[in-house]
């Protein structure tokens, strides 16, 4: 969740919101697929954490943008 949060904030600085969310979500999915093949297994709780981190990053990014960038 924490990594998805910070990755979303960083991606929002570079890309539009939809693309930023898609990239971070795909990174989380790729990590879970790697875990499925080589690690501890695919975990839906981790994917839920990714969603929560992305939503939190979006919320903080939009609030920051509204306050400081007008």
């Amino acid at each position: 969740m924490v990594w998805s949060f910070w990755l979303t904030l960083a991606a929002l600085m570079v890309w539009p919101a939809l693309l930023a969310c898609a990239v971070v979500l795909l990174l989380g999915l790729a990590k879970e697929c790697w875990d499925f093949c080589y690690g501890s297994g695919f975990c839906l709780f981790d994917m839920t954490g990714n969603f929560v981190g992305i939503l939190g990053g979006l919320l903080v990014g939009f609030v920051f943008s509204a306050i400081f960038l007008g």
Side-chain angles (χ1 to χ4, degrees), residues 26-65:
L26 287 174
L27 283 172
L29 183 62
K31 189 261 184 202
E32 289 307 314
C33 289
W34 186 89
D35 279 349
F36 178 74
C37 292
Y38 304 107
S40 59
F42 191 93
C43 181
L44 288 177
F45 293 116
D46 284 351
M47 283 305 297
T48 303
N50 290 338
F51 280 116
V52 171
I54 290 168
L55 290 176
L58 274 175
L59 180 65
V60 169
F62 287 145
V63 168
F64 180 84
S65 176

Side-chain angles (χ1 to χ4, degrees), residues 5-31:
F5 173 83
W6 289 111
L7 286 173
T8 302
L9 283 179
L12 285 171
M13 298 172 114
V14 180
W15 297 310
L18 186 59
L19 182 59
C21 290
V23 168
V24 175
L25 183 63
L26 287 174
L27 283 172
L29 183 62
K31 189 261 184 202

